[in-house]
Amino acid sequence: MEKKKNYNLLIGVAALVIILIVISVVGYLVSRPQPVVIQGEAEATEYRVSGKVPGRIEEFRAEEGQTVHKGDTLVIIDSPEIRSKIREANAARAAATAQKDKAMHGARQEQITGAYELWQKAMVGEEVMRKSFERIQRLHDEKVVSDQKYDEVAAQYQAAQATTRAAKSQYDMAVNGARQEDKDAAVALVERANAAVELVNAYKDEIRLTSPSDGIVADIYPKVGELVGQGAPIMTIQDLDDMWFTFNVREDRLKGMQIGDHIRLSIPALNGSTVEAQVYYLAARESYATWKATREIGEFDTRTFEVRARPEGRVEGLRPGMSAIMTVTK
């Protein structure tokens, strides 16, 4: 009887010990810090492809999702205004060049010869009037002709002299060409016309839009035939060689996520592949992202920080928008 009593006591003690162990294990599991799962996403540098000239989309040379390289032609824009300006600028340059050549080379030989003949004719006329004036002057001194007749011949002689000087001036101008000021003005007109042609040719290059970087075509906004304005985005190129992960993290969970720290991430879209990344950016978010305490005692408002981490090496298959999971201790 005594033996049985001791046996029951032993069983009770063992049961008590087991219960205490179970309670301790449960208490530990309940009270130990629970890991916190923080979800972020992959991002990449994006380039907006847009043109400097308005026009209609004539042709797309790349499709959404297609891999492109820097310098590849992506879009061709039809712009009648640019074609018209090119013709206008070329015509203005041709006119300015002709004006410059005329100023630099002077008059043609035929013009020089004609001016010389007019000068010689004027000289002959002046010589005839000189002889007539000298005769009239002698007669006037002898009181043979009236003062009126003398004045008329004197005026005609002066007019002949003026005609000779004018003809000589025209001949000299034909031989010497334009004045230096006129030549300088002609050169300036040509330079101005050349600048206008260069400007419209620069705009002409803008009707063929090229890729600014290697990457993939993420989005195409207009359709073929649609009108696009100056500077309007036409497509987006994502540079997959410049990717990072972005997380929004409460400040009380930033342990191990300072600039330069290494973190381990899981990518669900890549079958849970593990990626090593390094934190390179840490900044507080706007006030609307601040976590507000729900109790007046024991809690405090905590700011939310944006954390960016760059993968250590290229991750095959990683695309912008894929989720990234980070587990931290609470």
Side-chain angles (χ1 to χ4, degrees):
M1 189 70 179
E2 186 68 23
K3 187 176 181 180
K4 184 176 180 181
K5 184 177 180 181
N6 292 335
Y7 177 75
N8 292 334
L9 180 61
L10 183 61
I11 292 176
V13 172
L16 180 61
V17 171
I18 293 173
I19 292 173
L20 292 175
I21 293 174
V22 171
I23 293 175
S24 299
V25 171
V26 172
Y28 171 76
L29 294 176
V30 172
S31 62
R32 71 174 181 175
Q34 298 295 319
V36 176
V37 175
I38 300 177
Q39 180 176 348
E41 67 175 357
E43 297 185 13
T45 297
E46 293 186 347
Y47 298 92
R48 294 285 194 273
V49 178
S50 58
K52 293 182 180 179
V53 297
R56 294 188 181 277
I57 301 297
E58 180 177 339
E59 180 184 357
F60 285 116
R61 300 225 172 151
E63 300 177 350
E64 290 182 343
Q66 179 178 336
T67 300
V68 296
H69 301 285
K70 184 177 181 179
D72 288 350
T73 300
L74 304 178
V75 186
I76 297 179
I77 299 177
D78 178 33
S79 179
E81 294 82 0
I82 295 301
R83 293 197 297 269
S84 176
K85 288 184 179 296
I86 290 174
R87 290 193 297 269
E88 179 181 351
N90 287 330
R93 180 169 64 177
T97 302
Q99 187 71 20
K100 173 189 172 184
D101 292 340
K102 180 179 179 181
M104 292 299 179
H105 300 150
R108 294 182 303 176
Q109 186 59 43
E110 295 84 348
Q111 293 175 315
I112 295 176
T113 302
Y116 178 78
E117 296 295 338
L118 290 175
W119 176 37
Q120 296 303 308
K121 178 180 178 182
M123 289 176 62
V124 172
E126 180 186 355
E127 180 64 18
V128 170
M129 289 307 303
R130 183 185 66 81
K131 293 178 179 180
S132 297
F133 175 72
E134 289 176 351
R135 286 194 298 269
I136 291 296
Q137 188 173 31
R138 288 193 300 268
L139 294 173
H140 181 265
D141 293 339
E142 296 173 356
K143 306 298 182 180
V144 175
V145 297
S146 64
D147 292 340
Q148 181 178 356
K149 184 64 175 179
Y150 172 79
D151 293 339
E152 291 176 355
V153 174
Q156 292 174 358
Y157 177 47
Q158 292 174 357
Q161 288 177 320
T163 301
T164 300
R165 289 194 298 269
K168 178 64 165 57
S169 176
Q170 292 295 322
Y171 171 70
D172 291 340
M173 183 180 298
V175 172
N176 298 328
R179 295 185 305 171
Q180 187 60 43
E181 295 85 349
D182 295 333
K183 294 179 180 180
D184 294 341
V187 171
L189 286 176
V190 172
E191 293 177 351
R192 179 180 178 183
N194 287 334
V197 171
E198 291 178 2
L199 178 62
V200 296
N201 284 335
Y203 278 109
K204 179 182 177 182
D205 295 337
E206 290 297 324
I207 65 176
R208 301 175 67 91
L209 306 184
T210 60
S211 176
S213 171
D214 294 347
I216 63 171
V217 180
D219 296 293
I220 297 178
Y221 305 110
K223 301 290 190 299
V224 173
E226 289 186 353
L227 183 66
V228 293
Q230 181 179 5
I234 296 175
M235 62 173 58
T236 300
I237 306 298
Q238 291 180 337
D239 184 1
L240 300 184
D241 291 328
D242 187 17
M243 298 190 65
W244 65 89
F245 300 100
T246 300
F247 301 88
N248 293 319
V249 185
R250 269 173 35 185
E251 60 181 309
D252 57 341
R253 298 173 180 174
L254 287 174
K255 181 180 179 181
M257 284 182 280
Q258 302 302 312
I259 294 179
D261 289 344
H262 296 267
I263 58 177
R264 178 171 294 181
L265 309 173
S266 175
I267 312 298
L270 302 180
N271 297 323
S273 298
T274 301
V275 175
E276 298 290 335
Q278 184 177 18
V279 178
Y280 73 94
Y281 177 86
L282 181 66
R285 294 297 305 273
E286 295 79 0
S287 58
Y288 67 80
T290 300
W291 181 82
K292 302 295 184 181
T294 57
R295 293 185 297 178
E296 296 182 0
I297 301 176
E299 291 185 352
F300 58 91
D301 294 353
T302 52
R303 298 290 301 274
T304 299
F305 281 73
E306 180 181 359
V307 179
R308 298 179 188 175
R310 200 179 303 278
E312 298 178 350
R314 184 179 178 86
V315 181
E316 294 297 332
L318 184 64
R319 291 291 184 271
M322 287 186 177
S323 298
I325 306 300
M326 176 172 51
T327 304
V328 298
T329 302
K330 190 174 182 181

